[in-house]
């Protein structure tokens, strides 16, 4: 896999311009290779959760609300990347695209993502997700409005954890009965996701700015689980994992890193109206990203003082703009953008040489471009 570029630092020559900054990305529409899968996965998710809402609502109406919240979280929202990569890994390996098990596993990936995001919001203390109030704050608000006993924060976080756990259980429900190799990969990717999340929480608490560690977090928390492992699951479901997993990793590993690097850029510069999260939210949380690691390594004393603001939850828009300016002036933004381009080209070159169907190869190239240059 390629290394992050190493170019001479760009030193600050003028005073900081304390205005909101943005980093332009290429305009890449949602590809048809996602839409094709998303509609079928959406239907399956709605089918399951509607059945569960009816079943548990008949027992106790209070059980409807957390299930409705989960339904709103996973139906009609999300990029459906993981089901798409799983789908094309399967179809590319010669699998029958009408196989219902393929859509079930795609739905499982969406529910596992819901589990991760709901829990992540609790751990990070996030206020918004996908343009709406986060689950833990939503239930905390309900506690206050109703005047219930105890602490609203604890109630909200407790319910959010349970909603995330429900999503995880339903995800496993969809994978039950899958071939042994599929189940083994599924179990491993769940461990990898949690390992990466722990390193992220630890790095945030310690204020880590080590580049190799930041890349490791990106790989295990997000990259492998978003692209490489869904491809592996798809190939395993088609019975060709042993033959294809190395070639699919040659595509999925660099593209997974490019995916998370773009996520980091959007977390620092993305517009709330597009991403659904406040501008600079990751800067307030102090995420240990390669973007921050590169900027810190190159910063002069004054710039390091500005970067020291990162991790403070009450960063003002002016503070955020000052940090953004340093990220640009140190050359960190340019380096990360160059790395995204290079990693994506590595991935595309790898998939062009992989013995999969022509349609799948074209779809995975299209997906690579979308992953790298998306705006949300």
């Amino acid at each position: 896999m390629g290394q992050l570029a190493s170019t001479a630092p760009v030193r600050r020559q003028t005073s900081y311009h304390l205005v909101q900054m943005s980093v332009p990305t290429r305009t890449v529409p949602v590809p048809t290779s996602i839409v094709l899968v998303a509609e079928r996965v959406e239907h399956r998710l709605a089918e399951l959760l509607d059945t569960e809402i009816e079943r548990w609502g008949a027992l106790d109406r209070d059980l409807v609300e957390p299930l409705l919240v989960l339904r709103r979280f996973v139906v009609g929202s999300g990029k459906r990347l993981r089901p798409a990569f799983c789908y094309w890994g399967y179809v590319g390996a010669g699998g029958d695209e009408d196989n219902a098990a393929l859509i079930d596993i795609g739905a499982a990936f969406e529910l596992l993502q819901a589990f991760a995001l709901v829990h992540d919001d609790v751990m990070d203390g996030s206020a918004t997700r996908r343009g709406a109030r986060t689950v833990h704050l939503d239930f905390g608000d309900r506690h206050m409005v109703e005047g219930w006993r105890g602490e609203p924060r604890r109630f909200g976080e407790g319910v959010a954890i349970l909603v995330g756990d429900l999503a995880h259980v339903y995800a496993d429900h969809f994978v039950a009965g899958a071939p042994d190799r599929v189940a083994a990969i599924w179990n491993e990717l769940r461990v990898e996701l949690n390992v990466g999340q722990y390193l992220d929480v630890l790095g945030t608490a310690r204020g880590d700015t080590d580049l190799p560690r930041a890349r490791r977090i990106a790989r295990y928390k997000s990259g492998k689980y978003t692209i490489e492992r869904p491809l592996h699951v798809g190939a395993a479901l088609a019975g060709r994992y042993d033959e294809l997993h190395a070639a699919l990793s040659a595509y999925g590993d660099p593209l997974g890193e490019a995916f998370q690097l773009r996520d980091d850029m959007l977390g620092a510069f993305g517009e709330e109206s597009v991403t659904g999260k406040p501008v600079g939210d990751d800067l307030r949380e102090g995420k240990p990203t390669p973007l921050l690691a590169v900027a810190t390594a190159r910063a002069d004393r004054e710039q390091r003082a500005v970067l020291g603001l990162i991790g403070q939850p009450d960063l003002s828009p002016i503070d955020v703009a000052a940090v953004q300016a340093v990220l640009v002036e140190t050359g960190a933004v340019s380096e990360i953008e160059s790395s995204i381009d290079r990693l994506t080209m590595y991935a595309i070159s790898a998939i062009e040489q992989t013995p999969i169907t022509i349609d799948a190869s074209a779809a995975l190239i299209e997906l690579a471009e979308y992953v790298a240059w998306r705006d949300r």
Side-chain angles (χ1 to χ4, degrees):
M1 192 199 319
Q3 299 295 314
L4 290 173
S6 180
T7 57
V10 178
R11 291 300 183 186
R12 181 182 57 81
Q13 297 178 343
T14 60
S15 60
Y16 295 117
H17 299 286
L18 301 185
V19 296
Q20 180 179 324
M21 304 177 66
S22 62
V23 174
T25 61
R26 307 179 193 184
T27 301
V28 180
V30 177
T32 55
S33 49
I34 290 181
V35 176
L36 176 68
V37 183
E39 292 175 351
R40 296 172 65 186
V41 168
E42 180 103 351
H43 175 77
R44 190 69 182 97
L45 288 166
E47 183 180 58
L48 169 76
L49 291 170
D50 286 345
T51 299
E52 289 297 277
I53 288 167
E54 182 178 355
R55 179 165 79 104
W56 291 106
L59 175 66
D60 191 320
R61 293 303 299 172
D62 283 338
L63 295 174
V64 169
E65 186 59 26
L67 289 168
L68 279 175
V69 166
L70 179 57
R71 190 190 191 283
R72 287 194 293 268
F73 198 90
V74 299
V75 176
S77 63
K79 293 184 280 292
R80 310 296 190 223
L81 286 174
R82 294 158 190 86
F85 282 111
C86 181
Y87 179 92
W88 290 110
Y90 173 80
V91 172
D96 177 6
E97 63 184 54
D98 292 325
N99 185 354
L102 174 63
I103 302 305
D104 278 358
I105 291 176
F109 273 111
E110 285 300 292
L111 286 162
L112 189 65
Q113 172 72 346
F115 148 77
L117 294 180
V118 172
H119 283 195
D120 191 50
D121 288 340
V122 172
M123 286 182 266
D124 293 341
S126 298
T128 59
R129 169 71 66 179
R130 295 174 175 172
R133 198 145 170 83
T134 47
V135 174
H136 66 283
L137 292 184
D138 187 27
F139 276 98
D141 292 344
R142 183 180 177 191
H143 184 285
M144 286 189 287
V145 168
E146 298 292 343
W148 291 334
R149 292 184 297 175
E151 184 181 353
R153 180 188 66 82
R154 288 179 62 86
F155 174 80
E157 291 179 353
V159 173
I161 289 169
L162 291 171
V163 169
D165 289 346
L166 272 173
H168 198 171
V169 171
Y170 288 134
D172 282 350
H173 163 79
F174 276 130
V175 178
D180 289 346
R181 179 57 63 85
V182 170
I185 300 168
W186 177 258
N187 289 335
E188 183 67 6
L189 73 87
R190 291 187 302 161
V191 173
E192 290 169 346
L193 173 61
N194 281 278
V195 165
Q197 181 65 15
Y198 172 73
L199 291 177
D200 182 63
V201 171
L202 180 65
T204 299
R206 295 195 308 204
D208 285 350
T209 57
D210 177 70
L211 181 56
R213 176 172 284 268
R215 294 184 70 187
R216 185 178 307 123
I217 292 170
R219 185 166 187 253
Y220 281 91
K221 178 190 175 184
S222 183
K224 288 176 72 70
Y225 146 72
T226 299
I227 299 173
E228 184 183 13
R229 289 308 193 188
L231 288 166
H232 286 171
V233 168
L237 187 63
R240 292 183 65 193
Y241 173 81
D242 290 341
E243 176 187 351
L244 291 176
H245 79 274
L248 291 174
S249 290
Y251 164 87
D253 196 14
L255 187 60
E257 184 170 4
F259 166 83
Q260 186 54 48
L261 291 177
R262 174 60 63 209
D263 235 33
D264 296 341
M265 292 291 288
L266 293 172
F269 293 94
E271 298 180 18
E272 183 173 2
S273 61
V274 178
T275 65
K277 296 191 72 175
V279 176
D281 214 32
D282 281 4
L283 302 178
R284 294 183 179 90
E285 293 169 8
K287 294 292 185 181
T289 64
L291 176 65
L292 175 58
V294 172
T296 301
R298 295 179 170 191
D300 60 26
R301 186 170 64 178
E302 184 177 349
Q303 290 169 328
R304 280 178 176 265
V306 175
L307 293 177
L309 297 170
I310 293 174
Q312 298 182 20
D314 57 349
L315 285 186
S316 69
I318 290 178
D319 293 332
V320 169
V323 172
Q324 289 174 331
V326 172
L327 295 176
V328 173
E329 292 169 0
T330 56
V333 166
S334 294
E335 178 165 329
I336 296 302
E337 288 289 352
S338 295
S339 295
I340 291 172
D341 287 351
R342 186 174 57 260
L343 290 163
T344 304
M345 291 304 103
Y346 287 160
I348 290 173
S349 177
I351 207 63
E352 288 175 336
Q353 301 172 52
T354 301
I356 57 176
T357 64
I358 294 174
D359 287 349
S361 180
L364 290 171
I365 291 171
E366 185 181 47
L367 281 168
E369 293 170 347
Y370 174 70
V371 160
W373 299 304
R374 71 194 191 279
D375 62 359
R376 66 186 68 204

